[in-house]
Amino acid sequence: MTQTSQRPLRVLAAMSGGVDSAVAAARAAEAGHDVTGVHLALSANPQSFRTGARGCCTIEDSRDARRAADVIGIPFYVWDLAERFREDVVEDFVAEYEAGRTPNPCLRCNEKIKFAALLDKALALGFDAVCTGHYATVVLAADGSRELHRASDMAKDQSYVLGVLDERQLAHAMFPLGDTLTTKDEIRAEAERRGLAVAKKPDSHDICFIADGDTQGFLADRLGGTAEGDILDESGTKLGTHEGAFGFTIGQRKGLRIGHPAPDGKPRYVLGISPVNNTVTVGPVEALDVTALTAIKPRWCGTPPSGPGTYTAQLRAHGGETEVSAELLDDTLSVSFTEPVRGVAPGQAVVLYDGTRVVGSATIATTVRRETAAAG
């Protein structure tokens, strides 16, 4: 059954200034809970305004969240978590790229900010739960434990970026949008019916703290500018140069600027990134096929699995599911794919599912490719 309560709860609603979090807060208040809205000031420089659908956490967003709270009729506060966000999300993001890995900052924000810093502060102040506009569901199991499940609508499901939440955090999480089969247009229509001005506000996308979308420029500014290195093929032959290995991701095709085509005339893709010697290795798309991986720093949405098991796995926020076998050995998760998958990069999260239930998440450390069996 979906998590319910026989009594009104004191709920802290995280309001980003967008339509999803505003409707979630409104639904929580309508359900009879004692709701307080809070906007997280995550930028040390919030003077710049959102450009279209890019960016978040601006003065504009704070004002939009406040206006929504006023319409709903709930108290509203702004909490400054900019320093914590910088340390736990932004600096982590930069360090991961510097090490040649591909991080997911949204997942890290959920783990470190919304359901750690924010939740801990909320509990200390006497709140029972934190409410967000994520599309996922918390289910109360027969034994009284909480489980995280996919949203009713798979097209909007965001359980992947919540796979870092443990059972204690799930016990204090509320996702009012997760168990309703409504399209985004219907959510916007509901916001309009409720008189919420954010009904037509565009969704934010990409990385919230890189408002212009230029990830390579952002990283170059923080990692000391450009550092020319070699682009190599699988045999080690130099094909060209680049201006910093941190600007590439596994599976990337565009922007390689290789002077001459491959012998077979087919496109080449990034296969490996080595920050130690600042090289990028490229090759044919078939070389991206991954048959297995190891993942570290596992976090379980409940009791950790024991022994080998069969699951489905999701490898990116908007990716599909793939069948795997997985086993936890000495705090390292070993995963084997039934069919090879492409574009898997160290630093990404692998999230395991048992049906719609989220089993847990871990950070990909190494990959094994088909045929070459090269660790990534």
Side-chain angles (χ1 to χ4, degrees):
M1 57 181 284
T2 303
Q3 180 183 1
T4 57
S5 175
Q6 299 300 315
R7 63 178 179 86
L9 301 176
R10 287 196 67 205
V11 175
L12 189 68
M15 301 181 70
S16 66
V19 63
D20 289 331
S21 60
V23 171
R27 287 186 179 184
E30 189 175 67
H33 299 299
D34 178 9
V35 180
T36 296
V38 62
H39 177 78
L40 303 183
L42 301 179
S43 172
N45 250 330
Q47 285 76 22
S48 61
F49 281 71
R50 170 191 298 270
T51 303
R54 292 192 185 277
C56 77
C57 314
T58 63
I59 291 175
E60 177 189 8
D61 293 311
S62 176
R63 290 171 179 167
D64 287 343
R66 184 180 295 278
R67 283 191 287 265
D70 288 344
V71 170
I72 298 167
I74 58 175
F76 178 83
Y77 300 92
V78 175
W79 287 359
D80 183 359
L81 291 178
E83 183 62 22
R84 180 76 180 264
F85 183 78
R86 182 186 63 80
E87 293 175 357
D88 289 345
V89 179
V90 179
E91 289 185 1
D92 174 81
F93 176 84
V94 173
E96 286 293 284
Y97 264 101
E98 187 177 23
R101 297 185 288 266
T102 305
N104 185 313
C106 295
L107 191 145
R108 196 64 59 230
C109 183
N110 286 327
E111 176 189 358
K112 299 290 188 179
I113 305 299
K114 292 174 183 171
F115 292 95
L118 176 63
L119 178 58
D120 289 346
K121 188 171 182 178
L123 295 177
L125 291 172
F127 287 93
D128 300 303
V130 165
C131 163
T132 73
H134 287 101
Y135 290 88
T137 58
V138 177
V139 171
L140 186 63
D143 62 1
S145 63
R146 285 352 189 250
E147 297 177 349
L148 178 65
H149 283 250
R150 288 193 182 278
S152 298
D153 184 355
M154 274 291 292
K156 298 195 298 293
D157 175 64
Q158 293 176 302
S159 60
Y160 174 85
V161 294
L162 297 169
V164 289
L165 304 186
D166 60 28
E167 189 178 339
R168 182 192 74 88
Q169 293 168 324
L170 291 175
H172 300 286
M174 181 181 289
F175 307 121
L177 305 187
D179 58 359
T180 52
L181 285 169
T182 51
T183 66
K184 191 56 180 277
D185 286 342
E186 288 171 318
I187 291 291
R188 292 189 179 280
E190 179 180 338
E192 196 158 13
R193 288 195 306 272
R194 292 180 181 275
L196 299 171
V198 292
K200 295 180 180 179
K201 186 174 181 178
D203 292 336
S204 61
H205 61 83
D206 295 327
I207 299 167
C208 71
F209 51 86
I210 306 179
D212 62 2
D214 182 10
T215 301
Q216 188 163 1
F218 176 87
L219 291 168
D221 287 344
R222 285 152 181 80
L223 294 175
T226 59
E228 186 175 291
D230 294 337
I231 298 176
L232 312 174
D233 65 16
E234 291 180 282
S235 68
T237 301
K238 181 177 176 178
L239 304 176
T241 60
H242 61 76
E243 296 178 345
F246 55 78
F248 297 85
T249 57
I250 301 296
Q252 179 178 332
R253 173 184 173 184
K254 296 181 179 179
L256 299 182
R257 294 180 296 174
I258 299 173
H260 46 87
D264 59 7
K266 294 181 179 179
R268 283 173 288 208
Y269 298 77
V270 174
L271 304 180
I273 304 161
S274 176
V276 175
N277 54 16
N278 197 28
T279 59
V280 174
T281 302
V282 299
V285 67
E286 295 81 8
L288 288 171
D289 285 350
V290 168
T291 58
L293 61 82
T294 63
I296 58 175
K297 301 177 183 176
R299 290 181 61 87
W300 306 108
C301 303
T303 305
S306 60
T310 301
Y311 307 93
T312 56
Q314 188 170 329
L315 298 162
R316 52 186 65 85
H318 303 292
E321 290 180 278
T322 184
E323 193 172 288
V324 301
S325 59
E327 184 174 10
L328 183 65
L329 298 169
D330 297 327
D331 221 29
T332 296
L333 188 67
S334 178
V335 178
S336 297
F337 298 99
T338 302
E339 297 290 337
V341 296
R342 287 179 178 169
V344 183
Q348 291 176 332
V350 54
V351 178
L352 299 182
Y353 292 83
D354 181 6
T356 63
R357 180 176 70 87
V358 183
V359 178
S361 171
T363 302
I364 298 171
T366 63
T367 61
V368 177
R369 296 201 189 105
R370 185 165 62 178
E371 296 178 359
T372 61

